Short mmCIF file of all heavy atoms in Angstrom, two decimals:
data_model
loop_
_atom_site.label_atom_id
_atom_site.label_comp_id
_atom_site.label_asym_id
_atom_site.label_seq_id
_atom_site.Cartn_x
_atom_site.Cartn_y
_atom_site.Cartn_z
N TYR N 1 16.37 -9.59 -66.28
CA TYR N 1 16.35 -9.11 -64.90
C TYR N 1 17.59 -8.28 -64.59
O TYR N 1 17.54 -7.29 -63.84
CB TYR N 1 16.25 -10.31 -63.97
CG TYR N 1 16.05 -10.00 -62.51
CD1 TYR N 1 15.08 -9.09 -62.07
CD2 TYR N 1 16.82 -10.63 -61.55
CE1 TYR N 1 14.90 -8.81 -60.74
CE2 TYR N 1 16.64 -10.36 -60.19
CZ TYR N 1 15.69 -9.45 -59.79
OH TYR N 1 15.51 -9.19 -58.46
N THR N 2 18.72 -8.64 -65.17
CA THR N 2 19.97 -7.90 -64.93
C THR N 2 19.86 -6.45 -65.41
O THR N 2 20.53 -5.58 -64.86
CB THR N 2 21.14 -8.61 -65.66
OG1 THR N 2 21.21 -9.96 -65.15
CG2 THR N 2 22.47 -7.93 -65.42
N TYR N 3 19.02 -6.18 -66.37
CA TYR N 3 18.85 -4.82 -66.92
C TYR N 3 18.56 -3.81 -65.81
O TYR N 3 19.16 -2.75 -65.78
CB TYR N 3 17.73 -4.84 -67.97
CG TYR N 3 17.45 -3.53 -68.64
CD1 TYR N 3 18.16 -3.17 -69.79
CD2 TYR N 3 16.48 -2.66 -68.16
CE1 TYR N 3 17.90 -1.96 -70.44
CE2 TYR N 3 16.20 -1.46 -68.81
CZ TYR N 3 16.92 -1.11 -69.93
OH TYR N 3 16.66 0.06 -70.57
N GLN N 4 17.63 -4.14 -64.91
CA GLN N 4 17.30 -3.17 -63.86
C GLN N 4 18.51 -2.89 -62.97
O GLN N 4 18.70 -1.77 -62.53
CB GLN N 4 16.09 -3.62 -63.05
CG GLN N 4 16.38 -4.66 -61.99
CD GLN N 4 15.13 -5.05 -61.22
OE1 GLN N 4 14.10 -5.37 -61.78
NE2 GLN N 4 15.24 -5.04 -59.91
N PHE N 5 19.34 -3.88 -62.72
CA PHE N 5 20.54 -3.67 -61.91
C PHE N 5 21.55 -2.80 -62.66
O PHE N 5 22.20 -1.96 -62.05
CB PHE N 5 21.16 -5.01 -61.53
CG PHE N 5 20.30 -5.82 -60.60
CD1 PHE N 5 19.33 -6.69 -61.08
CD2 PHE N 5 20.45 -5.72 -59.23
CE1 PHE N 5 18.54 -7.43 -60.23
CE2 PHE N 5 19.64 -6.45 -58.36
CZ PHE N 5 18.69 -7.31 -58.86
N MET N 6 21.67 -3.01 -63.95
CA MET N 6 22.56 -2.18 -64.76
C MET N 6 22.11 -0.74 -64.74
O MET N 6 22.92 0.19 -64.70
CB MET N 6 22.63 -2.70 -66.19
CG MET N 6 23.29 -4.07 -66.34
SD MET N 6 25.04 -4.08 -65.97
CE MET N 6 25.70 -3.19 -67.37
N GLU N 7 20.80 -0.52 -64.78
CA GLU N 7 20.24 0.83 -64.77
C GLU N 7 20.40 1.52 -63.41
O GLU N 7 20.57 2.72 -63.35
CB GLU N 7 18.76 0.79 -65.16
CG GLU N 7 18.52 0.41 -66.61
CD GLU N 7 19.02 1.49 -67.57
OE1 GLU N 7 18.56 2.63 -67.48
OE2 GLU N 7 19.91 1.16 -68.39
N GLU N 8 20.37 0.74 -62.34
CA GLU N 8 20.43 1.30 -60.99
C GLU N 8 21.84 1.58 -60.50
O GLU N 8 22.04 2.40 -59.62
CB GLU N 8 19.77 0.32 -59.99
CG GLU N 8 18.29 0.16 -60.18
CD GLU N 8 17.72 -0.99 -59.34
OE1 GLU N 8 18.49 -1.71 -58.64
OE2 GLU N 8 16.50 -1.18 -59.42
N GLN N 9 22.83 0.86 -61.02
CA GLN N 9 24.17 0.92 -60.48
C GLN N 9 25.15 1.59 -61.43
O GLN N 9 25.01 1.52 -62.64
CB GLN N 9 24.69 -0.48 -60.16
CG GLN N 9 23.86 -1.21 -59.12
CD GLN N 9 23.84 -0.51 -57.77
OE1 GLN N 9 24.88 -0.03 -57.30
NE2 GLN N 9 22.69 -0.43 -57.13
N GLU N 10 26.19 2.16 -60.86
CA GLU N 10 27.23 2.85 -61.65
C GLU N 10 28.30 1.88 -62.12
O GLU N 10 29.00 2.14 -63.09
CB GLU N 10 27.85 3.94 -60.78
CG GLU N 10 28.86 4.79 -61.47
CD GLU N 10 29.41 5.90 -60.58
OE1 GLU N 10 29.11 5.94 -59.38
OE2 GLU N 10 30.14 6.75 -61.12
N TYR N 11 28.41 0.74 -61.44
CA TYR N 11 29.46 -0.25 -61.77
C TYR N 11 28.86 -1.58 -62.18
O TYR N 11 27.78 -1.94 -61.74
CB TYR N 11 30.37 -0.47 -60.55
CG TYR N 11 31.21 0.74 -60.19
CD1 TYR N 11 30.71 1.74 -59.39
CD2 TYR N 11 32.52 0.86 -60.68
CE1 TYR N 11 31.48 2.85 -59.08
CE2 TYR N 11 33.29 1.95 -60.37
CZ TYR N 11 32.75 2.95 -59.56
OH TYR N 11 33.52 4.04 -59.25
N PHE N 12 29.58 -2.31 -63.01
CA PHE N 12 29.25 -3.69 -63.36
C PHE N 12 30.52 -4.49 -63.45
O PHE N 12 31.61 -3.92 -63.52
CB PHE N 12 28.42 -3.75 -64.68
CG PHE N 12 29.15 -3.32 -65.92
CD1 PHE N 12 29.93 -4.20 -66.66
CD2 PHE N 12 29.07 -2.00 -66.36
CE1 PHE N 12 30.59 -3.79 -67.81
CE2 PHE N 12 29.72 -1.58 -67.50
CZ PHE N 12 30.49 -2.48 -68.24
N THR N 13 30.39 -5.81 -63.45
CA THR N 13 31.56 -6.65 -63.57
C THR N 13 31.36 -7.72 -64.65
O THR N 13 30.23 -8.12 -64.93
CB THR N 13 31.94 -7.35 -62.25
OG1 THR N 13 30.89 -8.24 -61.88
CG2 THR N 13 32.20 -6.35 -61.15
N VAL N 14 32.46 -8.18 -65.19
CA VAL N 14 32.47 -9.35 -66.07
C VAL N 14 33.40 -10.35 -65.41
O VAL N 14 34.57 -10.05 -65.15
CB VAL N 14 32.98 -9.00 -67.49
CG1 VAL N 14 33.10 -10.25 -68.35
CG2 VAL N 14 32.04 -7.99 -68.15
N SER N 15 32.87 -11.54 -65.09
CA SER N 15 33.65 -12.60 -64.45
C SER N 15 33.72 -13.78 -65.40
O SER N 15 32.68 -14.29 -65.83
CB SER N 15 32.98 -13.06 -63.15
OG SER N 15 32.89 -12.03 -62.21
N VAL N 16 34.92 -14.22 -65.70
CA VAL N 16 35.12 -15.40 -66.56
C VAL N 16 35.35 -16.59 -65.64
O VAL N 16 36.30 -16.62 -64.86
CB VAL N 16 36.31 -15.22 -67.51
CG1 VAL N 16 36.57 -16.49 -68.31
CG2 VAL N 16 36.08 -14.02 -68.43
N LEU N 17 34.42 -17.56 -65.73
CA LEU N 17 34.54 -18.76 -64.88
C LEU N 17 35.35 -19.83 -65.60
O LEU N 17 35.44 -19.84 -66.84
CB LEU N 17 33.15 -19.30 -64.55
CG LEU N 17 32.24 -18.40 -63.72
CD1 LEU N 17 30.94 -19.13 -63.40
CD2 LEU N 17 32.91 -17.93 -62.45
N PRO N 18 35.94 -20.76 -64.85
CA PRO N 18 36.67 -21.86 -65.46
C PRO N 18 35.75 -22.75 -66.29
O PRO N 18 34.54 -22.84 -66.04
CB PRO N 18 37.23 -22.65 -64.27
CG PRO N 18 36.99 -21.84 -63.05
CD PRO N 18 35.95 -20.82 -63.39
N ALA N 19 36.33 -23.43 -67.26
CA ALA N 19 35.57 -24.31 -68.16
C ALA N 19 34.82 -25.40 -67.41
O ALA N 19 33.77 -25.84 -67.87
CB ALA N 19 36.50 -24.92 -69.20
N ASP N 20 35.30 -25.83 -66.25
CA ASP N 20 34.62 -26.90 -65.53
C ASP N 20 33.37 -26.43 -64.78
O ASP N 20 32.70 -27.21 -64.12
CB ASP N 20 35.59 -27.61 -64.57
CG ASP N 20 36.10 -26.74 -63.45
OD1 ASP N 20 35.78 -25.53 -63.39
OD2 ASP N 20 36.88 -27.25 -62.61
N MET N 21 33.01 -25.16 -64.94
CA MET N 21 31.81 -24.63 -64.31
C MET N 21 30.67 -24.42 -65.32
O MET N 21 29.83 -23.54 -65.17
CB MET N 21 32.12 -23.33 -63.55
CG MET N 21 33.06 -23.55 -62.37
SD MET N 21 33.16 -22.13 -61.28
CE MET N 21 31.58 -22.23 -60.44
N LYS N 22 30.64 -25.25 -66.36
CA LYS N 22 29.64 -25.14 -67.41
C LYS N 22 28.20 -25.27 -66.87
O LYS N 22 27.29 -24.63 -67.40
CB LYS N 22 29.86 -26.18 -68.52
CG LYS N 22 31.04 -25.86 -69.40
CD LYS N 22 30.77 -24.63 -70.24
CE LYS N 22 31.90 -24.40 -71.19
NZ LYS N 22 31.88 -23.09 -71.80
N THR N 23 28.00 -26.09 -65.85
CA THR N 23 26.65 -26.23 -65.29
C THR N 23 26.17 -24.90 -64.72
O THR N 23 25.04 -24.49 -64.94
CB THR N 23 26.62 -27.32 -64.21
OG1 THR N 23 27.04 -28.56 -64.82
CG2 THR N 23 25.23 -27.51 -63.63
N ALA N 24 27.04 -24.23 -64.00
CA ALA N 24 26.69 -22.90 -63.43
C ALA N 24 26.44 -21.91 -64.55
O ALA N 24 25.49 -21.12 -64.51
CB ALA N 24 27.81 -22.40 -62.53
N MET N 25 27.27 -21.94 -65.58
CA MET N 25 27.10 -21.01 -66.70
C MET N 25 25.77 -21.26 -67.41
O MET N 25 25.08 -20.31 -67.79
CB MET N 25 28.27 -21.16 -67.69
CG MET N 25 29.60 -20.74 -67.13
SD MET N 25 29.63 -19.07 -66.47
CE MET N 25 29.11 -18.13 -67.85
N SER N 26 25.43 -22.52 -67.57
CA SER N 26 24.16 -22.86 -68.22
C SER N 26 22.98 -22.35 -67.41
O SER N 26 22.06 -21.74 -67.93
CB SER N 26 24.07 -24.36 -68.43
OG SER N 26 22.83 -24.70 -68.99
N LEU N 27 23.02 -22.59 -66.11
CA LEU N 27 21.94 -22.12 -65.24
C LEU N 27 21.81 -20.60 -65.30
O LEU N 27 20.70 -20.07 -65.42
CB LEU N 27 22.17 -22.59 -63.81
CG LEU N 27 21.02 -22.28 -62.85
CD1 LEU N 27 20.79 -23.43 -61.92
CD2 LEU N 27 21.24 -21.00 -62.10
#
């Protein structure tokens, strides 16, 4: 699903979350 957003937008971000947010990362 992210592909269409990458194609539509000029900018993207990479966010590194803390290790204690593994549940969010998994989801």
Side-chain angles (χ1 to χ4, degrees):
Y1 187 49
T2 303
Y3 181 88
Q4 79 180 50
F5 293 89
M6 293 293 289
E7 291 293 301
E8 293 170 357
Q9 299 298 318
E10 185 177 8
Y11 292 85
F12 65 87
T13 64
V14 175
S15 299
V16 176
L17 296 184
D20 65 358
M21 295 192 75
K22 286 291 185 195
T23 301
M25 295 305 304
S26 177
L27 186 140

